[in-house]
Amino acid sequence: MSQSKKRKLKPGGTRVHCSACNCSNSKGSHPNLSFFRFPSDTKRSKEWVVACRREDLLNKTPKYLYANCKLCSEHFEDCMFVNPTIKNRLNDKAKPSIFNVQNPPPSLGCKRRIITRNNEALPSSGKRARKEKDTCPTQSNDLQVDEVQGENEDLIRENIDETHANVINPETEDGTCQTSPDITSDTPRKKKLKQTIKSKNDQIKKLKKKLNPKKRLNPKRKSKRERTIDQALSQLPPNMANFIRDQISLHSKKSKGRRYSPEMKTIALSLYHASGKAYKILSKLFILPSKSSLKRFISNIPTTSGISEQILKAIQQKVLHMNDMEKICTLCIDEISLKSHLYYSVPDDKIIGLEDFGNGVRSKKIATSALALLIRSIS
């Protein structure tokens, strides 16, 4: 057997339907109608149940009726609406009175009479019509007071609509509806909107703080933490104090946002050349530059074949701070074998890998070895 197809709902859905007796209105069949929940108040909820002639709902609690039962706008008179033209809001004392039953509840609207004067229909209030009826003769053709008949109901209804549209009921002036504010203020939709508003306000506060950061009254004044660190590091040698100070400042930054000083890179480079394994272990204990950072640091140092003038100047500056004993040194000459390899250097615009004797003296042979000179102090 083929599975039964699911029934497609009409636009607007059919779950919302009227709970009145002999009424089949629903949101799907009548999308222009408004549907109102039963009041949460016990007294008013019972009045609605009695008015709609539903004996099966008499034993239900107001909470159940509020959650599951609704009445459409066709069961309310125009005077029960805050806005009679749209009919989507009831006043706080609204009661249903229009039902298709044998003994409907009495009408709650004001009874109106119509005055016919010179064959013209003019609406008037009940008291005024009754007064005019008593003062004027009954056989006069100029003024006749009759009960509202079917042909004049449309005219009276239009007049009632205009009256209620222009005059605000003092009982509903504050805009209250049929349900209590405690229930309508905590609906799931309103709770979700409140959370969204709160999160947006928090984001606005954070952005304002970024735009207007709090400035210190005296930027030159150090904090208590900085003064304590400086006092502790003053007891250490300068090189060690600078290293620890750099470690403290780098610890509070992310790995990709760390910037190392040239002194830190020089220390790390000497450690790496001493032992690669030891440098790997120390990198786990301290914040040190990575191998790629050290390679970039070395690549910035200009190195050429031959005797470099920059190296000679560096040695000269270092010798100025040496005593006579430290100036005694040894000169070592070492030959290093090289792997044959040729490549084109774009910045220098030349081929690297050929024999180069310095000062622009080059040959067309591929270099296989290099001669290194090393000067080292004896002391």
Side-chain angles (χ1 to χ4, degrees):
M1 295 178 65
S2 61
Q3 296 180 353
S4 60
K5 297 182 179 179
K6 294 183 179 179
R7 187 178 63 179
K8 295 183 179 179
L9 298 177
K10 296 180 181 180
T14 58
R15 294 183 178 180
V16 180
H17 59 276
C18 184
S19 300
C21 187
N22 298 330
C23 182
S24 60
N25 293 339
S26 64
K27 198 67 177 177
S29 59
H30 298 79
N32 296 328
L33 292 179
S34 299
F35 291 80
F36 305 97
R37 297 176 183 270
F38 274 59
S40 59
D41 182 58
T42 305
K43 183 179 179 181
R44 293 187 61 230
S45 179
K46 188 174 181 180
E47 291 177 353
W48 281 38
V49 173
V50 173
C52 66
R53 302 299 189 268
R54 290 288 301 273
E55 296 182 1
D56 56 324
L57 299 179
L58 289 174
N59 297 328
K60 302 296 182 181
T61 60
K63 186 176 180 180
Y64 174 86
L65 296 173
Y66 175 80
N68 300 283
C69 300
K70 295 182 180 181
L71 292 179
C72 63
S73 56
E74 290 186 350
H75 303 292
F76 297 89
E77 299 180 38
D78 294 340
C79 59
M80 297 299 168
F81 292 97
V82 177
N83 45 359
T85 55
I86 305 176
K87 296 184 179 181
N88 61 353
R89 288 190 65 186
L90 297 173
N91 57 44
D92 55 352
K93 294 185 179 181
K95 295 180 183 179
S97 59
I98 304 174
F99 295 97
N100 185 18
V101 292
Q102 294 181 358
N103 54 344
S107 177
L108 300 176
C110 54
K111 295 182 180 180
R112 303 181 65 85
R113 297 175 181 271
I114 188 166
I115 300 174
T116 305
R117 182 178 297 165
N118 295 331
N119 297 328
E120 292 182 359
L122 297 175
S124 62
S125 61
K127 292 182 179 180
R128 183 178 177 183
R130 197 178 297 108
K131 184 177 180 180
E132 292 177 356
K133 184 177 180 180
D134 296 338
T135 55
C136 299
T138 56
Q139 297 179 357
S140 176
N141 295 327
D142 296 334
L143 183 62
Q144 295 180 356
V145 180
D146 299 328
E147 294 290 334
V148 177
Q149 302 297 331
E151 58 184 5
N152 297 324
E153 287 181 359
D154 296 337
L155 180 62
I156 296 174
R157 188 167 295 175
E158 291 178 1
N159 185 55
I160 293 173
D161 292 344
E162 293 177 359
T163 304
H164 283 282
N166 297 327
V167 180
I168 300 175
N169 190 351
E171 296 178 353
T172 60
E173 188 174 1
D174 56 348
T176 56
C177 57
Q178 60 169 338
T179 54
S180 62
D182 297 336
I183 298 175
T184 56
S185 61
D186 292 332
T187 57
R189 179 174 172 272
K190 290 184 179 180
K191 286 182 179 179
K192 189 175 181 180
L193 290 174
K194 288 178 182 179
Q195 292 177 358
T196 306
I197 293 170
K198 186 178 179 181
S199 62
K200 295 297 181 184
N201 289 333
D202 294 340
Q203 291 179 5
I204 291 171
K205 289 180 181 179
K206 290 180 181 179
L207 292 174
K208 285 183 178 180
K209 287 182 180 180
K210 289 182 179 180
L211 291 174
N212 301 319
K214 293 182 179 179
K215 297 181 180 180
R216 293 183 180 179
L217 297 176
N218 188 3
K220 296 182 180 180
R221 184 180 178 183
K222 294 183 179 180
S223 62
K224 185 177 180 180
R225 178 173 174 269
E226 292 176 350
R227 292 197 301 270
T228 305
I229 293 172
D230 292 341
Q231 186 177 1
L233 295 179
S234 62
Q235 307 297 328
L236 300 175
N239 294 335
M240 188 180 296
N242 293 333
F243 179 79
I244 295 174
R245 190 177 285 105
D246 291 341
Q247 291 294 312
I248 293 172
S249 62
L250 292 171
H251 182 73
S252 60
K253 297 179 181 179
K254 296 182 179 180
S255 58
K256 293 185 179 180
R258 292 168 182 167
R259 298 294 180 267
Y260 302 94
S261 61
E263 292 79 8
M264 174 68 76
K265 292 180 180 179
T266 304
I267 295 172
L269 189 61
S270 60
L271 291 173
Y272 181 74
H273 283 295
S275 175
K277 292 183 179 180
Y279 186 80
K280 188 176 181 180
I281 295 171
L282 291 174
S283 298
K284 297 179 181 179
L285 301 176
F286 301 99
I287 301 174
L288 299 175
S290 61
K291 294 181 181 179
S292 58
S293 299
L294 295 178
K295 289 180 180 179
R296 287 195 298 269
F297 178 67
I298 295 173
S299 63
N300 295 328
I301 300 174
T303 55
T304 56
S305 301
I307 299 174
S308 176
E309 294 182 359
Q310 294 179 353
I311 294 175
L312 292 176
K313 289 180 180 180
I315 294 173
Q316 185 179 1
Q317 292 294 330
K318 196 168 185 178
V319 169
L320 294 176
H321 301 284
M322 291 182 179
N323 53 29
D324 295 337
M325 190 64 183
E326 291 176 345
K327 291 180 181 179
I328 300 173
C329 60
T330 59
L331 179 62
C332 301
I333 301 174
D334 188 15
E335 186 178 3
I336 304 171
S337 61
L338 301 176
K339 183 179 179 180
S340 301
H341 180 66
L342 296 177
Y343 71 94
Y344 175 72
S345 176
V346 177
D348 299 333
D349 191 20
K350 64 180 180 180
I351 297 174
I352 305 298
L354 300 176
E355 289 183 351
D356 192 348
F357 301 99
N359 297 327
V361 181
R362 303 181 66 191
S363 67
K364 296 181 180 180
K365 296 180 180 180
I366 298 175
T368 57
S369 61
L371 192 64
L373 300 177
L374 178 63
I375 299 175
R376 187 169 184 177
S377 177
I378 296 175
S379 59

